[in-house]
Amino acid sequence: MLVTSAVTGQLMTRLGRYKVFTVVGTLVGTVGFWLLHTMSPATTHLESSAFMVVTGMGLGFVMPTLTVAVQNAVDRGDLGVATTSVTFTRSLGSSIGVAVLGAILTGQLTGRLADAFPDGAGAAGGIAESGGSISPDAVAGLPAQVQSVVQAALASSIDAVFLAGAGVLCVAFLVALTLPRAELSEEAHVRVGEGGAPPVDEQ
């Protein structure tokens, strides 16, 4: 994500456009979350790492472009307010997203464990009754047969979280398509072939 963000920033300043990066980023991010959703206990570390790379690339395309798009749409005197609003909204969205996806994970895991152990099964039943709270130590203390059931329930629950994330990014992709095809202001990008800062009279 960091590498893609840096490259995207450089390309935006040279090309003077941002919509294409937002559209491509949300599309690649959606594919990445969908790939993460398809993981199973049989997925190798190499495959899961590749899925995370795809997801990170998509998010890296989007992160800098949205800030630049907002800054490009306001007057110079409002840049501070616009940038702060983007940062605040991003932080607020992150907090809400963590809470919502955490609730999805808890709900899915609790339901699957309750179905697997309808009468309660020692520690596994306690996990289900505690609202899905689970830790490696708690799983390690379970009998081997019960461990496999709990791990399968957790894997399926995490799949649902990634699927929800893919849905959110799919909506973001559709919204990105509606962005105006505006070019960055002359102060916001460097013309290809000229390099350096704009002439003094343009500053």
Side-chain angles (χ1 to χ4, degrees), residues 9 24 59-60 67-68 98 107-108 118 143 160 162-163 177 197:
V24 171
L59 297 179
T67 302
V68 172
V98 169
Q108 292 287 324
F162 287 132
L163 184 60
L177 292 176

Side-chain angles (χ1 to χ4, degrees), residues 104-119:
I104 293 175
L105 175 62
T106 299
Q108 292 287 324
L109 180 58
T110 301
R112 285 178 167 81
L113 290 178
D115 292 339
F117 307 103
D119 300 325

Side-chain angles (χ1 to χ4, degrees), residues 47 56 58 63 66 73 86 200:
E47 290 173 330
M63 294 295 284
L66 297 181
V86 171
V200 176

